[in-house]
Amino acid sequence: MEMKKKINLELKNRAPEEVTELVLDNCLCVNGEIEGLNDTFKELEFLSMANVELSSLARLPSLNKLRKLELSDNIISGGLEVLAEKCPNLTYLNLSGNKIKDLSTVEALQNLKNLKSLDLFNCEITNLEDYRESIFELLQQITYLDGFDQEDNEAPDSEEEDEEDGDEDEEDEEEDEAGPPEGYEEEEEEEDEDEDEAGSEAGEGEEEVGLSYLMKEEIQDEEDDDDYVDEGEEEEEEEPGTSVQRGMADPRCPFSFVFTSPFTLVFA
């Protein structure tokens, strides 16, 4: 597939200025030059053109926001000075598997002031004596060469991933230090107070119910006593034609008595 068609396919009905990543690997460059890529891709941050038979960067458009450029497995042998002009903010450049042979070709990358990682693996230049020391001395702005720094420490997979991980760790630490959200403790205290008030109200209600129950019991007892007295009085009512005189009982006598006519002494 030609590069123009590949670009149209990757757009997926988006406008070029909306695209931030573009992968054109394994397509075909006509005459070894870039086709279909222009200045309208101004938001592009990542561009990959691996194994596209690219030999010249002369038609590379201005991509000021481009940070990562993949150009591995092509036939580029020179002309790297265009990168500093068209992509001044590059931080990562992969030229592995190309036809770069000597240090003078790489010297053009000195103007890429933000370049941190350069990959020249499988290029003829790697066969030079003291290759790594020479590159680090020539390009003092870079940190990683072919995936390792000067102390042979391996480079992270992606600088962006490292930054995102760092941001997430900082956010987690801030959340831990911040503790529970504001008002959380106040809500708990209010809930406890509401439960205490509900409990006290329930206790008061139980006390009121108990008091009312006792008062009803006492009233019922008094009514029962009154009924008993009324029945006793009805039994003691005088029969017709009989006069009853009640005697005064002597306080020292355990008996009480009643005089009835005609002169009958009744002990009670």
Side-chain angles (χ1 to χ4, degrees):
M1 182 183 296
E2 293 184 358
M3 183 173 285
K4 284 184 178 181
K5 294 181 179 180
K6 181 73 170 179
I7 291 174
N8 292 330
L9 182 64
E10 291 295 325
L11 282 176
K12 299 175 182 178
N13 297 322
R14 294 176 296 173
E17 56 270 18
E18 297 175 349
V19 179
T20 58
E21 296 185 5
L22 188 60
V23 178
L24 305 175
D25 299 348
N26 304 314
C27 65
L28 178 63
C29 278
V30 178
N31 298 323
E33 293 184 341
I34 297 172
E35 295 180 306
L37 198 64
N38 51 51
D39 294 343
T40 58
F41 290 86
K42 56 185 178 181
E43 298 296 325
L44 205 59
E45 297 179 2
F46 174 79
L47 174 61
S48 182
M49 295 185 290
N51 191 30
V52 297
E53 299 184 9
L54 185 65
S55 60
S56 172
L57 297 174
R59 299 182 63 179
L60 182 69
S62 295
L63 303 171
N64 290 328
K65 291 189 177 182
L66 194 67
R67 296 182 60 195
K68 298 184 67 175
L69 180 59
E70 290 272 0
L71 297 172
S72 61
D73 299 321
N74 285 295
I75 49 178
I76 299 170
S77 58
L80 300 183
E81 60 275 356
V82 72
L83 293 175
E85 178 185 352
K86 300 297 181 67
C87 310
N89 293 308
L90 273 184
T91 60
Y92 175 88
L93 176 61
N94 188 350
L95 290 168
S96 63
N98 278 278
K99 304 298 182 181
I100 299 172
K101 299 179 180 180
D102 49 55
L103 293 174
S104 60
T105 304
V106 178
E107 187 175 3
L109 300 177
Q110 288 179 331
N111 293 326
L112 287 172
K113 303 301 182 181
N114 296 316
L115 189 64
K116 299 300 179 186
S117 181
L118 174 64
D119 197 338
L120 296 171
F121 182 73
N122 260 356
C123 292
E124 291 186 36
I125 192 174
T126 60
N127 297 323
L128 294 177
E129 185 178 358
D130 299 328
Y131 152 71
R132 289 183 60 82
E133 290 81 359
S134 299
I135 294 295
F136 277 116
E137 183 177 355
L138 183 65
L139 304 176
Q140 297 185 7
Q141 78 272 32
I142 69 172
T143 303
Y144 300 101
L145 176 62
D146 301 337
F148 295 88
D149 64 12
Q150 295 188 63
E151 286 75 31
D152 290 332
N153 296 314
E154 189 173 1
D157 292 339
S158 172
E159 292 181 3
E160 293 180 356
E161 290 178 359
D162 292 341
E163 292 175 358
E164 291 175 359
D165 292 340
D167 294 339
E168 290 177 358
D169 293 338
E170 291 177 1
E171 291 176 0
D172 292 339
E173 290 176 0
E174 291 176 358
E175 290 178 358
D176 292 339
E177 292 175 359
E182 294 182 1
Y184 179 80
E185 295 179 356
E186 295 179 0
E187 290 178 1
E188 285 189 344
E189 292 176 359
E190 290 177 359
E191 289 177 359
D192 292 339
E193 291 177 359
D194 292 340
E195 290 178 0
D196 293 338
E197 290 177 2
S200 61
E201 290 176 0
E204 292 175 1
E206 290 176 359
E207 290 177 1
E208 292 176 0
V209 170
L211 291 174
S212 62
Y213 177 80
L214 292 175
M215 292 176 66
K216 289 180 179 179
E217 286 291 321
E218 290 177 0
I219 293 171
Q220 186 65 37
D221 290 342
E222 290 177 359
E223 291 177 353
D224 293 341
D225 292 341
D226 292 338
D227 294 339
Y228 179 79
V229 172
D230 293 338
E231 291 175 0
E233 289 176 355
E234 290 176 359
E235 290 176 358
E236 292 177 3
E237 285 181 1
E238 297 176 358
E239 295 181 357
T242 303
S243 62
V244 180
Q245 293 183 354
R246 297 182 182 275
M248 295 298 293
D250 189 345
R252 294 171 296 178
C253 181
F255 304 102
S256 62
F257 53 91
V258 179
F259 290 98
T260 62
S261 181
F263 302 107
T264 301
L265 181 62
V266 179
F267 289 92

